[in-house]
Amino acid sequence: MAARLGISRAAVWKQIRSLRKRGYKIESSTKKGYRLAGNYDILDADMIRSCLKTQWLGKDLRCFSEVTSTNEVARTIARECRSDAINRIANCGARIVKGTANCGAVDETANDGTVILAEIQTQGRGRLSRSWASPPGGIWMSLILRPQISLDRAYRINMAISVAICKALADLYGLAAGIKWPNDLLIEEKKICGILMEVSAEVDRLEYVVVGIGINANVDVSGYPAEWRSTSLGQELGRGVSRTELIQKILLEIEKSYRHMDSKEIWEEWRSRSVTLGRQVRISSVSGDLLGRAVDLAEDGALMIQSRDGLHRVLAGDCIHLRALEAA
Ligand code: BTN
């Protein structure tokens, strides 16, 4: 290896040690050398960037072994908006339990397109203040975006991202994921992906958006509570997937659909992939529970519910798909 690479044996050994630290299992044998064994599905920023076809999204991409929540890390970076923010965060035990130290300088143009990934989240968060199980094998990823749009158009980002992930799953694995309003991705009624969008804005100006994406990729969901109705890519496909390949594809698809997020096509695609339309649903929100049939999805992301007392426009809430019997 040393001869082929034109470097010393000590230099090879140093690299092997660094790869092992990153989680690669490498066997060594005297006189034979080294052999990569077992788990190839390690999250590695260099590896992801090496075949990333995006123009701007994920050019600054960080992988951590363990964080509280990638959304929290991303929000801190976005808020601080300084070139050394990520290095300081990486050393801050309060937020990141363990972080890879290979952090370079962050672009001072405020991290638009920065991507944060972690192998494990110790305090993964879901919508409506729920917690989000984040064991190894999943894709726990947050994007920092600074779109030049007004606050009242922020729902468009959600549409663009849900559509992009559906496309990535269809192209790579032939899986038909449907969108449960507002932004859960399901495969046959089981959740494969959740999206948590957090917005920071001043009056009408969007400062930044952190989009957290959680995908049960190679996660064993068999121990999850049945009421979560979860599935994983591993379970659906009967094999593990390369998270590196999936992340690259998702980022590419997001970049494409984000560019056109204001187009009618994105709304139409989002609408056509809906598995909520036509269903009997229960919406729980601050204003109480609403039971009815989901009859339409408006261009502003609102779910139109026909209930006994008329047509309702719902912009936010927890949506439960009811079974025919329950609804009756
Ligand atoms: C939901 O369906 O409730 C949204 C789940 C979002 C989970 C992701 S995982 C990466 C990012 N970090 C978090 O703490 N949450 C999001």
Side-chain angles (χ1 to χ4, degrees):
M1 209 185 274
R4 212 187 274 178
L5 293 169
I7 55 177
S8 68
R9 280 163 172 244
V12 171
W13 181 80
K14 225 170 133 187
Q15 294 302 327
I16 296 286
R17 192 179 53 177
S18 143
L19 287 169
R20 279 180 176 152
K21 269 194 194 155
R22 289 188 195 179
Y24 289 95
K25 286 192 179 67
I26 298 170
E27 293 168 352
S28 55
S29 158
T30 3
K31 291 201 179 133
K32 284 188 182 160
Y34 299 103
R35 194 177 72 149
L36 188 57
N39 192 0
Y40 296 83
D41 188 41
I42 299 283
L43 286 185
D44 183 278
D46 294 335
M47 194 101 110
I48 297 170
R49 273 194 303 256
S50 68
C51 290
L52 188 60
K53 296 199 184 94
T54 56
Q55 282 171 0
W56 59 276
L57 185 60
K59 290 297 167 189
D60 188 354
L61 183 144
R62 315 291 170 132
C63 292
F64 295 96
S65 39
E66 197 171 306
V67 301
T68 49
S69 152
T70 54
N71 263 35
E72 194 191 330
V73 174
R75 271 204 347 253
T76 311
I77 296 166
R79 218 172 21 228
E80 294 208 8
C81 195
R82 285 179 37 189
S83 60
D84 63 341
I86 195 151
N87 296 324
R88 281 183 295 110
I89 290 162
N91 296 323
C92 168
R95 291 205 185 88
I96 295 178
V97 188
K98 261 187 262 161
T100 50
N102 58 343
C103 302
V106 166
D107 177 17
E108 283 187 297
T109 54
N111 346 96
D112 188 18
T114 292
V115 173
I116 306 294
L117 280 148
E119 280 288 355
I120 298 171
Q121 298 185 114
T122 53
Q123 289 165 41
R125 291 188 291 113
R127 288 180 62 238
L128 308 163
S129 310
R130 294 184 180 130
S131 61
W132 179 264
S134 317
I139 294 180
W140 323 126
M141 165 163 85
S142 297
L143 323 177
I144 300 175
L145 302 172
R146 295 187 186 269
Q148 300 294 308
I149 57 170
S150 60
L151 180 56
D152 62 352
R153 307 289 291 167
Y155 61 87
R156 282 278 169 175
I157 302 170
N158 173 36
M159 285 185 191
I161 287 183
S162 320
V163 165
I165 301 174
C166 285
K167 277 192 184 163
L169 297 179
D171 286 359
L172 282 183
Y173 317 118
L175 288 174
I179 304 172
K180 173 172 166 275
W181 186 88
N183 53 9
D184 284 349
L185 300 196
L186 309 186
I187 294 179
E188 287 172 9
E189 291 293 309
K190 289 192 181 151
K191 185 156 168 172
I192 191 95
C193 167
I195 300 169
L196 175 67
M197 205 171 96
E198 298 183 288
V199 169
S200 171
E202 282 170 7
V203 195
D204 193 32
R205 194 184 68 87
L206 254 188
E207 208 183 342
Y208 63 82
V209 179
V210 166
V211 184
I213 299 169
I215 302 177
N216 298 327
N218 303 323
V219 171
D220 178 10
V221 293
S222 60
Y224 283 13
E227 64 271 21
W228 288 5
R229 300 180 67 81
S230 303
T231 189
S232 67
L233 291 173
Q235 186 166 299
E236 293 301 318
L237 299 168
R239 63 174 171 91
V241 296
S242 155
R243 287 181 298 168
T244 302
E245 182 186 36
L246 179 54
I247 291 162
Q248 289 163 340
K249 176 73 175 160
I250 285 175
L251 293 178
L252 181 64
E253 289 303 329
I254 290 179
E255 191 177 272
K256 283 192 214 159
S257 57
Y258 182 73
R259 199 177 298 142
H260 306 296
M261 69 177 161
D262 259 329
S263 70
K264 199 164 180 159
E265 286 76 55
I266 287 292
W267 164 62
E268 282 170 348
E269 276 202 54
W270 180 70
R271 194 175 176 281
S272 73
R273 290 180 191 268
S274 169
V275 288
T276 301
L277 267 184
R279 297 288 299 260
Q280 290 291 338
V281 295
R282 183 172 59 235
I283 307 289
S284 306
S285 68
V286 274
S287 38
D289 277 9
L290 176 65
L291 270 169
R293 203 169 116 85
V295 289
D296 204 359
L297 283 163
E299 257 197 90
D300 64 356
L303 182 63
M304 306 303 293
I305 306 284
Q306 184 69 58
S307 78
R308 285 197 179 146
D309 63 348
L311 191 62
H312 299 256
R313 248 175 79 77
V314 186
L315 271 166
D318 193 23
C319 171
I320 294 168
H321 290 173
L322 301 175
R323 291 171 196 286
L325 257 181
E326 244 182 286

